[in-house]
Structures are given as C-alpha cells and as structure tokens.
Amino acid sequence: MFISPQISLYIHIPWCLKKCGYCDFHSYVSQSIIPEQQYIEHLLKDLEKDLSLVDYREINTIFIGGGTPSLLQSQSIEKLLNGIKKRSIVSKIAEISIEANPKKLEYKRFINYKKSGINRFSIGVQTFNSNLLRKIERTYNYKEIIDAIKASQKNNYNLNLDLMYGLPDQLLEDALSDLRYAIQYSPSHISWYQLTIEPNTPFYARKIKLPNEDIIFKMLNKGDSLLKKAGYKKYEISSYSKENYQCQHNLNYWNFGDYIGIGCGAHGKITQKNGKIIRTLKNKNMNDFLNGNYLNSINIISDKEKIFEYFMNVFRLYQPVFKKHFREKTNINEMVIEKNIEIAIKEGFLINTIDYWDTTKKGKLFLNSLLEIFLN
C-alpha cells in the first residue's frame, strides 16, 4: 500500500542588498523598492498550481529562504502565510522558519513576524569577526549581529545561528571564537559548515585562497568537541541542536521527503502514487514569473538519479539508514544496489546489517567518495 510522504513547503525570496562573492544561490541585487505585494500574489498563485500535484496533503513545515527574506515587510509575511493557510492544510504544529540578515532585522519586525506565525528564526551570522565579515563581503558588523540575536531571544524564538569556518585568512582560534560567541547566547540550533568556493561565483573567478586542509580539519574536530561539550548534539554533517530542536524542514529533505518549491528559481520534489518522483523547477526570470509563467520544467527522475539523490541526503544524517525506508522512499528493491553496497563495505565506508546500513567514521569523513560509489 502506497503511503504518501510528508510534504514541506519552500518559499524563495530572491532579493538581496548585495550578492556575496561566494554565493551561488539564485538571487537578485536590489537597491530599489522590491515589488513584494505583487510577488506574494504570484507566490500564492504558484502554490495553487502545485497543490494538485501533491493531492492537497497536509503541509508539515514551511521555510522562507532566499536571498534575504527579512527584506520583506512584516505585513507581507503575514499576507503570505495567511494566503497559504487559506489555500492548503497546514499542520497546527507546523515548524515555520524564516532566514534573516542581521542588518535588516528590527525589533518591531520580530514581534510582527511572530504574530504572523513564524516560530523558528535562522540568522545568517557566518562569523562574529567584523574583519572576516568584510572579507566575505557581508553587509553587517558584530554589533548588528548581537542586536539581532538579543531581539530574537527577547521574543522567545526557536533560534538557529548559521556559522561558517574555513574563511579566507581565518585562523583556528578565529573559528573557535565564533563558536564560543554563539554558545554564549545559547541558541536552540547551530548550523556550522565549511565555506566552499563554487564555480560561477566571483570568489572562484578571483581564486580566493582558503585555509589549508590541515587547518580546516583542526577547525572541524576542535569545533565539534566544543559544541558537543556545550550540550549540542550533532545530528547531521553541519547541524547541531539542543534536544528536540532539530530543524524539521531540513530533516524532511535529508530523509528524502517531498516538498513543494514556490517562487522564482525554486525547486520541488514530489512523489506520485505510482512511486515515480517528479522534480519541478520554477522560472528564474523575474519578469516572466511576475507575468504568471511560473513553471520552467517538470521531469520524472530516473531510478539511477533516485538512488544517488536518496543516499546523498540520508548519508548526511547521524543515524542508521533502514532498508525498509529505502524501499518506501524510492520504490526500488535494495538488491539493485547490492554490488555498490559491497564496494562501500570493502572501502570501509559502510556497515551492513539485516535491517539497515550505517556509515562508519571514515564514511562520514569521505562522504563524497562514498557517494561516488552510487553514481554507477
């Protein structure tokens, strides 16, 4: 019997005041007035078209990302969330998150965001070091970060702080200092991930130099120990949380759940009743999107793609991967990947039991090498 997977909703707000040199997300730089009311009307129409694809399943999590969603006025966020609830079934205990840039956060906006139904806040700190913030082209400083954190905590937000390590000219002590600052404010969740320079970014073109592998490895190990000692549990490669504060929206991604993606350039993944999985990509051209041309492409993913994408997500988690879960999520029997599993075990990346697979310490450390085995 087919069981429809949990469904999440991702909403893309593509505007930024400035595009950082390392960023490869789809975004627009806008110093002028953002057409937010018009955009929200089209977001809701975009949602209406996608709801039929998911048989109007209950939405369990909502994530408003970007870009810089906190550029939007609180009235716009309220209109957006009210519009979603009128058109779809949203769980009464849904996790509703918004990403925020510290420079644009104001005390009154926090209160109104909360009134509109936002119950989880994610602040893009990256580093508390004002000198390093300039090097990675962020538009705020240490004081603005602290003000943003205090304002969010004053309103009892479930708070995540995004931090990066391996920044240009960053020393080991700089990275550990960032974590100590974060821990001092006791957020419920800390995302701590390595900066990577992606192709087609200004940093890549300028050949920006990052710390060497030895320094980055020390940052990872010592930072991991520091976070765990402070009471944060590592549940995913770059995610740490206090008990019961894991990001439910991201957990749905990593468990190969379904999600609707609305907004300019957003992606979606939807499992059909026949077990096939479709991918949606929304139009990246803002003018086209605002003219009602939302869908750029819709494709059924092959079994080969399905297998690779499944493991690319679930192997990020610090938990066993149950074979029953693999069958349910992919509609593929695990015998198909028997040879791949044997290679992964031989390389020391995986442990195999009757009911589940589990990544070894080596498997987590060399995750890309493990995933390459499932490309064939």
Side-chain angles (χ1 to χ4, degrees):
M1 178 181 171
F2 176 79
I3 301 173
S4 297
Q6 176 177 316
I7 194 83
S8 293
L9 173 62
Y10 174 75
I11 305 160
H12 193 64
I13 309 297
W15 291 283
C16 289
L17 288 178
K18 183 182 182 300
K19 194 171 180 73
C20 300
Y22 59 84
C23 179
D24 68 338
F25 290 118
H26 176 63
S27 60
Y28 292 97
V29 175
S30 178
Q31 299 290 342
S32 59
I33 296 173
I34 294 170
E36 51 188 277
Q37 295 305 315
Q38 185 184 5
Y39 187 65
I40 285 167
E41 289 171 8
H42 283 282
L43 282 175
L44 295 173
K45 289 177 181 177
D46 187 12
L47 173 64
E48 288 171 1
K49 290 180 179 292
D50 276 6
L51 285 173
S52 61
L53 296 175
V54 298
D55 296 321
Y56 296 87
R57 280 181 251 163
E58 182 179 75
I59 294 171
N60 289 276
T61 69
I62 298 173
F63 196 100
I64 307 172
T68 310
S70 55
L71 288 174
L72 298 192
Q73 296 298 316
S74 52
Q75 300 95 317
S76 298
I77 296 296
E78 185 174 9
K79 179 180 177 181
L80 174 61
L81 291 175
N82 286 341
I84 291 167
K85 290 171 183 176
K86 285 178 182 178
R87 290 164 173 79
S88 59
I89 304 168
V90 178
S91 170
K92 291 181 180 178
I93 57 170
E95 176 192 86
I96 305 177
S97 307
I98 190 168
E99 288 182 331
N101 181 341
K103 192 170 185 66
K104 281 291 160 184
L105 294 183
E106 300 172 5
Y107 177 71
K108 290 182 180 179
R109 194 173 290 178
F110 275 114
I111 296 172
N112 290 326
Y113 278 162
K114 186 177 181 182
K115 286 178 180 177
S116 68
I118 301 291
N119 54 31
R120 185 176 184 274
F121 225 88
S122 181
I123 299 178
V125 174
Q126 316 314 346
T127 175
F128 288 88
N129 186 313
S130 292
N131 182 44
L132 291 176
L133 283 169
R134 286 190 293 273
K135 287 183 181 292
I136 60 171
E137 301 180 356
R138 303 297 283 185
T139 59
Y140 47 85
N141 57 37
Y142 167 80
K143 183 181 183 304
E144 288 172 307
I145 293 171
I146 301 305
D147 289 344
I149 292 173
K150 288 180 177 178
S152 64
Q153 290 184 323
K154 195 170 184 179
N155 287 280
N156 300 314
Y157 277 108
N158 176 5
L159 179 64
N160 169 63
L161 298 182
D162 264 354
L163 293 169
M164 294 194 298
Y165 65 94
L167 307 179
D169 297 324
Q170 188 180 40
L171 303 176
L172 171 61
E173 188 52 38
D174 294 329
L176 299 180
S177 179
D178 280 341
L179 290 177
R180 293 189 189 102
Y181 273 118
I183 291 166
Q184 176 186 334
Y185 290 97
S186 193
S188 56
H189 192 285
I190 295 175
S191 297
W192 191 55
Y193 50 95
Q194 181 185 343
L195 172 63
T196 55
I197 306 299
E198 301 292 345
N200 303 317
T201 62
F203 274 20
Y204 185 85
R206 282 151 46 193
K207 298 181 180 179
I208 296 294
K209 189 177 179 182
L210 303 180
N212 65 48
E213 289 183 1
D214 289 341
I215 296 295
I216 287 175
F217 190 67
K218 287 179 182 178
M219 289 176 179
L220 173 62
N221 280 338
K222 290 184 179 295
D224 184 75
S225 298
L226 192 62
L227 285 162
K228 288 176 179 176
K229 188 175 180 181
Y232 290 90
K233 183 178 180 181
K234 187 175 189 177
Y235 68 97
E236 186 267 342
I237 281 180
S238 57
S239 300
Y240 298 77
S241 76
K242 293 185 177 180
E243 192 168 355
N244 299 322
Y245 279 97
Q246 298 96 330
C247 177
Q248 297 304 308
H249 186 86
N250 286 343
L251 273 176
N252 186 44
Y253 288 157
W254 297 323
N255 278 300
F256 209 54
D258 282 0
Y259 56 95
I260 301 170
I262 63 171
C264 198
H267 292 259
K269 169 191 171 285
I270 301 164
T271 306
Q272 305 294 281
K273 287 184 177 179
N274 59 9
K276 292 182 178 179
I277 296 176
I278 60 173
R279 288 278 184 194
T280 61
L281 172 62
K282 298 305 169 63
N283 206 321
K284 291 186 176 182
N285 184 290
M286 180 58 69
N287 289 330
D288 285 347
F289 190 87
L290 294 179
N291 281 322
N293 300 317
Y294 309 130
L295 189 63
N296 175 273
S297 64
I298 183 167
N299 298 296
I300 296 173
I301 67 171
S302 67
D303 282 356
K304 181 180 177 181
E305 292 171 314
K306 204 187 294 183
I307 290 167
F308 177 73
E309 289 184 22
Y310 175 84
F311 286 118
M312 183 175 67
N313 282 282
V314 298
F315 280 159
R316 292 180 65 93
L317 293 168
Y318 279 76
Q319 64 185 35
V321 179
F322 286 90
K323 297 174 184 180
K324 180 183 177 183
H325 185 269
F326 173 78
R327 292 192 296 268
E328 289 175 350
K329 293 291 185 179
T330 64
N331 201 32
I332 297 171
N333 190 286
E334 65 269 23
M335 296 300 290
V336 172
I337 54 169
E338 189 174 19
K339 290 183 179 179
N340 308 74
I341 295 294
E342 287 176 2
I343 294 169
I345 293 169
K346 187 177 179 181
E347 293 292 333
F349 295 148
L350 275 188
I351 295 170
N352 186 26
T353 74
I354 294 174
D355 296 320
Y356 64 83
W357 307 292
D358 204 359
T359 47
T360 61
K361 186 176 181 180
K362 181 181 178 182
K364 277 288 186 284
L365 202 57
F366 298 97
L367 184 58
N368 287 340
S369 298
L370 168 58
L371 291 173
E372 283 175 7
I373 294 170
F374 293 92
L375 276 173
N376 300 311

